Amino acid sequence: MTGQGTTGQGTTGRGTTGQGTTGRGTTGQDTTGGAHRRAAVIGSPVAHSLSPVLHDAAFRALGLDWSYTRVECDEAGVPALVRGLDASWAGLSVTMPGKRAALAAASSATPRATLVGAANTLVPEAGGWRADCTDVDGVLGALRAACGFTGGSRAVLLGAGGTATAALVALASVGVTEVSLVVRSPARAVEARACAARAGVSLSVSSWDSTDFAALAASSDVLVSTVPPAATEPVAHALAESPCVLDVIYHPWPTPLAHAVEKRGRALATGLDMLLHQAFGQSEQFTGQPAPRAAMRTALRAATDHVLPLPLGD
């Protein structure tokens, strides 16, 4: 999903772009008299990001002559990059490793970004930038559209990275009160513990080697895996005991977990579903207009050889 280079718009690497900070509205809406607007995904690496596919499709469908590019930027480079953006910028999508830095660089943040402790979206506002985390929408939209999941009380979460904290906040918002977090080492769960406390979720942490995955999955309403296929492959059939599974990894497809879930006849949501649904909120914040959901879905399916149906769920 991520990778190289320059935007072709005077932006490079660790981040200098533009000339000043005037003309910003409270969202990414154009306040510069109809001038060409820009947006980008930032992270490292970003060369394989599919975000341009989604947002370029949105701009075309909305009749906007805007550009969306990729900017290679590591975590340390985020503050300088954001400070250097001029009034032509409508917003940024932020991928790893810059999501926590994006939140810190913002002048304000939505409640959910604060709960997650990270931001995947930055949009200009008077005097600075507002941070949001539409990854929460991505998790919920994927689960609702692909699995029919609208709520429950118990969840299993594999992995404790940035996607995991967004999943915690998303699950808390639909009534989940107990989450079993499984990690290689409990020492890696510091951010997840803090996030769960902010979100009001009871979090139990167990190590990978000591977990009875079949029993844990069978007792859950939903399972979210944020870990690589090599980790889930030995226990994929056990994990498929959960009635609803979101595997955020989608390349190469199918993953061992996805294959096991489909074989077991359980409901499956994917990282591509999540990517699509998180992009809707970003598009709306960038443009100030409703996201052209069908056009964005069509573009993403075409870019991924129609490997997944990517239901919209509405």
Side-chain angles (χ1 to χ4, degrees), residues 110-311:
T110 62
R112 63 184 179 180
T114 301
L115 286 174
V116 173
N120 77 328
T121 307
L122 290 171
V123 291
E125 64 178 6
W129 291 79
R130 185 183 74 238
D132 189 25
C133 187
T134 67
D135 284 336
V136 175
D137 294 335
V139 172
L140 291 178
L143 288 171
R144 286 170 176 159
C147 293
F149 178 81
T150 57
S153 60
R154 303 184 67 181
V156 175
L157 182 57
L158 309 182
T163 303
T165 53
L168 276 171
V169 172
L171 293 169
S173 74
V174 290
V176 171
T177 56
E178 300 178 27
V179 176
S180 298
L181 175 68
V182 187
V183 289
R184 288 294 181 188
S185 168
R188 298 181 179 180
V190 173
E191 293 290 340
R193 290 182 190 275
C195 176
R198 291 191 296 267
V201 171
S202 174
L203 186 73
S204 61
V205 180
S206 61
S207 64
W208 199 271
D209 293 339
S210 64
T211 296
D212 182 341
F213 286 101
L216 195 63
S219 67
S220 72
D221 298 304
V222 60
L223 183 148
V224 178
S225 174
T226 70
V227 300
T232 57
E233 184 170 15
V235 294
H237 292 290
L239 297 175
E241 291 301 311
S242 179
C244 175
V245 174
L246 168 58
D247 186 356
V248 306
I249 307 299
Y250 58 83
H251 183 76
W253 190 261
T255 64
L257 177 56
H259 180 74
V261 170
E262 290 179 332
K263 184 176 180 180
R264 183 71 173 82
R266 302 299 198 180
L268 175 68
T270 74
L272 271 184
D273 293 296
M274 182 179 168
L275 178 69
L276 176 64
H277 286 269
Q278 65 81 32
F280 296 150
Q282 284 189 338
S283 178
E284 291 174 357
Q285 292 184 60
F286 293 167
T287 68
Q289 300 185 49
R293 294 160 58 94
M296 295 169 75
R297 171 184 178 266
T298 296
L300 184 60
R301 292 198 72 218
T304 54
D305 296 325
H306 299 87
V307 68
L308 289 165
L310 305 182

Side-chain angles (χ1 to χ4, degrees), residues 2-140:
T2 55
Q4 87 191 46
T6 66
T7 67
Q9 307 269 0
T11 306
T12 60
R14 295 184 53 168
T16 57
T17 309
Q19 359 170 338
T21 55
T22 60
R24 292 176 175 166
T26 56
T27 71
Q29 299 176 62
D30 186 356
T31 63
T32 61
H36 178 78
R37 307 303 306 280
R38 297 187 282 179
V41 56
I42 67 171
S44 184
V46 286
H48 302 294
S49 173
L50 290 167
S51 291
V53 170
L54 288 159
H55 291 288
D56 281 340
F59 296 161
R60 286 193 302 270
L62 295 172
L64 299 173
D65 183 23
W66 292 14
S67 62
Y68 187 99
T69 48
R70 300 176 180 91
V71 179
E72 182 78 12
C73 181
D74 62 17
E75 183 175 15
V78 171
L81 185 147
V82 172
R83 285 195 304 269
L85 298 180
D86 66 19
S88 68
W89 286 84
L92 295 174
S93 308
V94 185
T95 189
M96 295 304 291
K99 293 184 179 184
R100 291 191 175 94
L103 180 63
S107 50
S108 68
T110 62
R112 63 184 179 180
T114 301
L115 286 174
V116 173
N120 77 328
T121 307
L122 290 171
V123 291
E125 64 178 6
W129 291 79
R130 185 183 74 238
D132 189 25
C133 187
T134 67
D135 284 336
V136 175
D137 294 335
V139 172
L140 291 178

